[in-house]
Amino acid sequence: MIRGSSLNIFRDILIKLRSPSTLRLQRSFSSSSSESDEDEGPRFPGARTNWTENLKFRHSDDIKPLPVYRVMDNYGKVIHPDQEPKLDSDTLLKMYKTMTLLRQMDLILYDSQRQGRISFYMTSHGEEATHIGSAAAVDEKDLIFGQYRETGVLMWRGFSLPQFVNQCFGNREDKGKGKQMPVHYGSKNLHFVTISSPLATQLPQAVGAAYAYKRAKNGLCVITYFGEGAASEGDAHAALNFSATLRCPIIFFCRNNGYAISTPSKEQYCGDGIGGRGPAYGIPTIRVDGNDVLAVYNATKAARSLSLEDGGGPVLIEAMTYRLGHHSTSDDSTAYRPSEEIKNWESPSWGHPIARMNRYLTIKGLWSEKLEEEWRKDSKQQIIQALLAGEKIPKLDWKEMFTDVYHDLPMDLQKQMESMEDHLKKFGEHYPLKDFRTAS
Amino acid sequence: MAVHFKSFAQIGSKLRITGSNCNLFGKKSPINSLKTYVRYSSHFTFMPDKPSPSDGETKTLNLFQSINDAMDIALRTDPTAVLFGEDVAFGGVFRCSMGLQEKYGSDRVFNTPLCEQGIAGFGIGLATAGATAIAEMQFADYIFPGFDQLINEAAKYRYRSGGLFDCGALTVRAPCGAVGHGALYHSQSPEAYFAHTPGLKIVVPRGPIKAKGLLLSCIRDKDPCIFFEPKTLYRAAKEDVPVKDYTLPIGQADVLREGSHITLVGWGTQVHVLLEVAELAKEKHNISCEVIDLVSILPFDKKTVCESVKKTGRLIIAHEAPLTGGFGAELSASIQEECFLYLEAPITRVAGFDTPFPHVFEPFYIPTKWRCLEAVNKVVNF
């Protein structure tokens, strides 16, 4: 791409011809270069580095892969006590209950899609610890931009079961007014920006929001979630680079679950995961065991402080996990991965995030099989109630289709709405009008 | 390089390589003859607007200066407003942001990395978080990497969230249109690509007075706006621009010349071509043309165009962008639907050809006054 106008180019030439550094350069050509010049190292503006006389390429193997930070072992035992976050019992129990509530809601809503009650669903199976650990570690007013598999983050902040269900049904209680597919949640009150389907678009947006927060000096940061597949999009590159050059207080939280639909991560990249890219952009980076809720909590907590230090800057967290469920209700993942592999990750001995947290709490004396059984029944009941209630709520008047395209309804759009109204007067019996009613 | 050199000479200005600077290249350099070449190649004569006496104090500004003035006011009146893009910090490659970083600081007027999808996404995020974002795409030709962000994200933000979130405080500015020698990637007029997207507003000014008022409207509008600046007017267009802070309505066309035989509709630089066509048609053929500047592509002012066509019975739409799928097609179809009984001749479009925008063939590519004049004759004598 040819860039910049001629103005620029000619200005540059003029400046360069006149600049003292050019004169210096010309002088050094005319006299033999002195050793002291050599000692100064290369003067190229594009990098601060040294000279070398070895013809050597740097390979990815030359750099040690980022290790995976963990706090607990696969059986919920804390490895180094000084790494255990000092969380009170209520917080720990809330963490576990949210993880398990999410698991239950996923199971029930997944089934409800299979039964044709909702059109689509995506579970978070296996990634519950990444949601809860990170959500618990940031300020509740920090702005969140997600991808779509961060339901637990919203649940942690208080999005209620009826709110989840109403969005999936697109009924008139859905604050999104039934306009998007299921699981595209959003909440202004809970500072969770509405999800959209195009992958990675939220990343540069989150950077822009972080810049606005920095200028507003509100002491808050922005956290944005994305999968390792989305990290291949151009927008991910844009976001990482912008966040570093513009020093934005943002946490990039990558859920590396091994698959992007059917594509295994080895077909997604050849470097050291997503974390390996952080330092290349000048971003402090950590890789964490995404099935260890305490490790995720610690990493996110520290990342938040780091992002707000020295006026602000980005931090990258890569949480290693495994996508236990199918990609979505439109996907059968056994078509591309062995069921053996899934079984392994489901087993407690591989460190399943819920089993691990369960054991951690049991060791601490905060949880028992009895409590587990009661909570399972109770949570299931709550979800089914929300589902049955949500199903009965009608959808908004079809005229809502025309609102919020613009702040005000343009005249031509108003006319399109009126023509549809006329049409329905004549052909209304062919449309599901009875399901679409204005809130009374 | 040659391309840039010529564009420098045409757009050229205070930094123009004439006079003493020419010595750099030697007095006998062929560069000295370029000014003549440029005048020869210009396909329009700028027809300035007159400010209304009620607008108060005025100042003679060209297009880039009036845009600079609008952004200066936006930054002064809105402490959340920021201006960013490639090379905006030193004043911009077209000088539109001159002096603004010095005045408002490097946290408000700053360079971004060279990445249009990043610029668009970053701007959306700023707007979502409550700031006013003025993003610059260096050339409209390079807006396409940001297409996904603008089409799938910016345009749909309010709708998809049920109004919970919006990026209405985003304005994207982009220099557009023919410049004499910009070839494929410094000449495009991409308005029609965006016009197919509900949720966006698209505005193209014809001169400095309109540019200032419309840009301030876009910046303050509650919807995301794309503001295309005809770059050939940056220096060529001078008007007495009101000094005050003012806005002009988006979605409202201007009838610039009243006539009775035929309606001519265009936007941006093409408006000046059409004004000249109207003059030629009067002089040479005694045809009375009504000339309308559409001003806003989305939403567009169907009412004003319809009223004119109902009076004249004939319509020509002219734009630099290629014919097929150009915005002329939308205008033509919708006017035909509204004005069928009034039309005395087929609605005719005079546009760029369905080719990429060429370099040396530009004089044959653009919808010149002569092509427009021929169309006027054909339509009137249909």
Side-chain angles (χ1 to χ4, degrees):
Chain A
M1 229 173 350
I2 300 172
R3 306 207 139 257
S5 81
S6 50
L7 281 178
N8 216 359
I9 288 166
F10 276 82
R11 224 180 88 106
D12 285 354
I13 292 170
L14 293 174
I15 291 166
K16 274 175 194 151
L17 285 174
R18 288 170 186 163
S19 75
S21 64
T22 317
L23 295 176
R24 244 200 334 268
L25 202 67
Q26 283 163 347
R27 269 203 299 275
S28 70
F29 269 123
S30 57
S31 63
S32 62
S33 60
S34 67
E35 282 192 15
S36 63
D37 277 357
E38 287 288 311
D39 290 342
E40 283 173 25
R43 295 191 182 90
F44 306 111
R48 285 169 60 192
T49 182
N50 301 315
W51 299 108
T52 177
E53 285 72 42
N54 290 336
L55 176 63
K56 186 177 181 295
F57 290 90
R58 177 179 287 181
H59 296 266
S60 51
D61 295 348
D62 297 343
I63 306 157
K64 263 173 58 182
L66 277 170
V68 183
Y69 170 74
R70 61 177 179 161
V71 173
M72 298 185 263
D73 67 12
N74 284 353
Y75 301 95
K77 190 167 170 290
V78 172
I79 299 160
H80 294 296
D82 64 323
Q83 290 298 305
E84 185 180 6
K86 289 168 186 62
L87 293 168
D88 58 60
S89 316
D90 287 350
T91 308
L92 288 170
L93 286 172
K94 185 188 167 189
M95 288 169 100
Y96 182 72
K97 283 188 167 182
T98 312
M99 287 166 74
T100 45
L101 184 66
L102 170 61
R103 170 88 188 171
Q104 279 288 1
M105 184 178 83
D106 276 350
L107 289 168
I108 291 168
L109 291 188
Y110 183 87
D111 285 348
S112 81
Q113 192 283 334
R114 300 279 93 171
Q115 296 162 358
R117 299 172 115 153
I118 58 174
S119 62
F120 178 77
Y121 196 69
M122 299 177 108
T123 71
S124 300
H125 295 334
E127 301 181 44
E128 294 89 349
T130 63
H131 301 189
I132 308 308
S134 58
V138 295
D139 189 284
E140 61 181 15
K141 286 192 181 121
D142 287 340
L143 190 62
I144 294 174
F145 286 78
Q147 177 165 304
Y148 49 63
R149 216 184 295 283
E150 292 88 15
T151 304
V153 174
L154 199 48
M155 192 176 259
W156 175 265
R157 288 202 170 181
F159 208 65
S160 69
L161 291 172
Q163 282 176 305
F164 284 115
V165 164
N166 291 337
Q167 196 283 332
C168 289
F169 281 118
N171 65 32
R172 73 181 182 203
E173 298 300 325
D174 169 24
K175 289 276 182 280
K177 301 184 183 171
K179 285 169 180 174
Q180 287 212 84
M181 284 174 79
V183 309
H184 291 55
Y185 309 115
S187 171
K188 185 85 179 167
N189 297 340
L190 303 175
H191 312 281
F192 188 99
V193 179
T194 302
I195 300 288
S196 75
S197 307
L199 287 178
T201 48
Q202 80 279 13
L203 298 176
Q205 294 171 14
V207 177
Y211 191 86
Y213 274 24
K214 179 168 120 170
R215 284 209 65 238
K217 295 188 169 63
N218 60 12
L220 298 172
C221 74
V222 173
I223 176 163
T224 181
Y225 294 86
F226 57 108
E228 90 288 349
S232 295
E233 292 282 1
D235 275 333
H237 160 67
L240 292 166
N241 201 28
F242 276 52
S243 71
T245 64
L246 298 169
R247 307 256 337 125
C248 302
I250 182 167
I251 303 168
F252 291 101
F253 193 104
C254 178
R255 297 175 291 95
N256 189 337
N257 64 17
Y259 289 92
I261 307 187
S262 75
T263 306
S265 51
K266 68 171 194 276
E267 292 169 25
Q268 201 66 247
Y269 51 75
C270 293
D272 178 27
I274 309 307
R277 298 175 199 172
Y281 286 101
I283 300 178
T285 300
I286 190 166
R287 175 173 281 158
V288 61
D289 182 348
N291 294 351
D292 176 346
V293 71
L294 301 181
V296 174
Y297 176 87
N298 278 353
T300 312
K301 190 100 186 153
R304 185 176 191 277
S305 307
L306 201 53
S307 78
L308 292 164
E309 257 173 32
D310 300 331
V315 185
L316 172 61
I317 299 172
E318 182 183 26
M320 308 310 289
T321 182
Y322 184 82
R323 194 195 76 212
L324 267 180
H326 301 303
H327 164 70
S328 72
T329 47
S330 310
D331 171 55
D332 172 11
S333 66
T334 57
Y336 51 81
R337 60 179 182 181
S339 44
E340 188 80 341
E341 181 182 293
I342 305 170
K343 269 194 199 120
N344 282 338
W345 284 101
E346 265 171 352
S347 78
S349 62
W350 277 53
H352 186 287
I354 291 176
R356 208 153 154 189
M357 181 64 168
N358 181 308
R359 296 213 183 177
Y360 171 75
L361 293 177
T362 308
I363 294 167
K364 282 186 99 73
L366 293 171
W367 201 245
S368 64
E369 273 187 39
K370 185 168 164 277
L371 286 171
E372 177 77 19
E373 195 47 43
E374 280 170 17
W375 171 237
R376 197 196 320 253
K377 267 190 202 155
D378 181 25
S379 58
K380 202 171 171 179
Q381 189 58 31
Q382 287 180 42
I383 297 158
I384 288 169
Q385 259 175 15
L387 186 75
L388 295 176
E391 203 167 26
K392 291 192 192 92
I393 301 172
K395 291 168 183 65
L396 281 171
D397 189 311
W398 62 268
K399 282 183 187 166
E400 287 292 340
M401 175 167 73
F402 294 91
T403 61
D404 295 322
V405 180
Y406 292 94
H407 182 267
D408 302 311
L409 188 64
M411 204 205 303
D412 279 336
L413 201 49
Q414 168 90 29
K415 281 186 185 158
Q416 291 178 20
M417 189 173 88
E418 286 162 7
S419 81
M420 187 62 189
E421 196 168 19
D422 285 347
H423 171 71
L424 288 173
K425 277 179 191 149
K426 294 166 199 145
F427 290 86
E429 80 251 38
H430 303 292
Y431 294 84
L433 279 171
K434 65 175 173 45
D435 301 333
F436 295 79
R437 297 203 298 268
T438 313
S440 47
Chain B
M1 193 65 182
V3 171
H4 282 105
F5 182 64
K6 286 182 200 166
S7 77
F8 176 77
Q10 180 173 20
I11 300 161
S13 66
K14 289 166 189 166
L15 285 170
R16 181 185 285 158
I17 313 240
T18 51
S20 61
N21 284 348
C22 260
N23 293 334
L24 267 177
F25 301 91
K27 276 189 176 164
K28 284 179 183 172
S29 162
I31 292 158
N32 291 335
S33 61
L34 271 173
K35 259 175 96 183
T36 325
Y37 166 79
V38 165
R39 279 194 195 125
Y40 168 76
S41 75
S42 184
H43 70 286
F44 68 96
T45 305
F46 179 72
M47 312 272 186
D49 282 353
K50 292 265 173 294
S52 144
S54 64
D55 285 335
E57 196 193 336
T58 63
K59 202 172 156 187
T60 308
L61 300 176
N62 63 25
L63 185 72
F64 86 66
Q65 290 164 332
S66 84
I67 285 163
N68 181 278
D69 191 30
M71 296 196 293
D72 191 352
I73 291 172
L75 289 161
R76 189 174 72 227
T77 54
D78 176 358
T80 74
V82 292
L83 166 60
F84 55 94
E86 296 156 14
D87 307 302
V88 303
F90 88 111
V93 299
F94 290 110
R95 319 315 286 143
C96 292
S97 50
M98 284 250 279
L100 297 178
Q101 189 182 61
E102 289 83 340
K103 208 163 168 183
Y104 297 101
S106 56
D107 68 319
R108 300 191 63 194
V109 179
F110 52 91
N111 291 338
T112 65
L114 204 165
C115 180
E116 287 77 10
Q117 63 195 102
I119 294 169
F122 182 82
I124 293 168
L126 275 163
T128 304
T132 297
I134 310 168
E136 178 179 303
M137 300 286 173
Q138 201 158 73
F139 285 84
D141 311 67
Y142 305 132
I143 203 169
F144 300 112
F147 204 60
D148 181 46
Q149 284 286 353
L150 296 171
I151 303 296
N152 275 330
E153 296 291 313
K156 298 168 175 58
Y157 231 87
R158 189 193 303 277
Y159 189 77
R160 73 186 187 203
S161 68
L164 291 179
F165 295 94
D166 71 81
C167 61
L170 169 69
T171 301
V172 177
R173 298 173 38 240
C176 74
V179 71
H181 32 69
L184 287 81
Y185 308 113
H186 299 78
S187 308
Q188 291 182 70
S189 298
E191 65 274 8
Y193 292 106
F194 294 94
H196 197 55
T197 308
L200 294 177
K201 289 184 177 172
I202 304 157
V203 175
V204 193
R206 67 171 179 274
I209 297 174
K210 293 294 285 185
K212 179 176 171 181
L214 287 166
L215 181 54
L216 278 167
S217 292
C218 285
I219 291 168
R220 293 165 181 171
D221 194 84
K222 291 186 168 105
D223 295 305
C225 297
I226 303 179
F227 192 74
F228 287 118
E229 300 163 3
K231 60 180 146 331
T232 195
L233 301 179
Y234 274 140
R235 294 171 193 281
K238 277 188 186 155
E239 285 172 344
D240 295 327
V241 180
V243 170
K244 67 177 185 183
D245 179 349
Y246 66 96
T247 55
L248 293 171
I250 298 169
Q252 193 176 304
D254 291 338
V255 180
L256 296 177
R257 178 185 171 121
E258 293 197 7
S260 53
H261 296 145
I262 185 166
T263 302
L264 311 181
V265 177
W267 49 90
T269 316
Q270 196 65 22
V271 169
H272 303 288
V273 175
L274 293 178
L275 285 168
E276 203 177 339
V277 169
E279 201 57 45
L280 287 168
K282 188 79 193 164
E283 275 172 29
K284 291 186 189 271
H285 311 288
N286 203 29
I287 297 169
S288 162
C289 301
E290 181 143 309
V291 179
I292 297 178
D293 176 4
L294 196 63
V295 178
S296 164
I297 307 297
L298 194 67
F300 71 98
D301 186 353
K302 201 188 282 180
K303 190 162 164 270
T304 297
V305 181
C306 278
E307 274 168 15
S308 173
V309 172
K310 283 179 182 170
K311 182 176 73 175
T312 63
R314 297 175 179 87
L315 174 63
I316 283 177
I317 303 151
H319 56 66
E320 287 179 12
L323 183 76
T324 303
F327 195 68
E330 176 57 40
L331 261 180
S332 170
S334 55
I335 300 303
Q336 181 270 137
E337 226 173 337
E338 301 269 325
C339 304
F340 187 70
L341 294 175
Y342 298 84
L343 285 169
E344 290 172 38
I347 297 172
T348 298
R349 292 171 290 155
V350 187
F353 296 110
D354 290 339
T355 70
F357 199 108
H359 185 212
V360 300
F361 308 116
E362 177 170 326
F364 304 97
Y365 173 85
I366 49 175
T368 58
K369 59 189 170 195
W370 306 116
R371 278 177 62 204
C372 294
L373 185 64
E374 188 193 356
V376 167
N377 274 319
K378 266 192 190 163
V379 171
V380 170
N381 297 315
F382 178 77

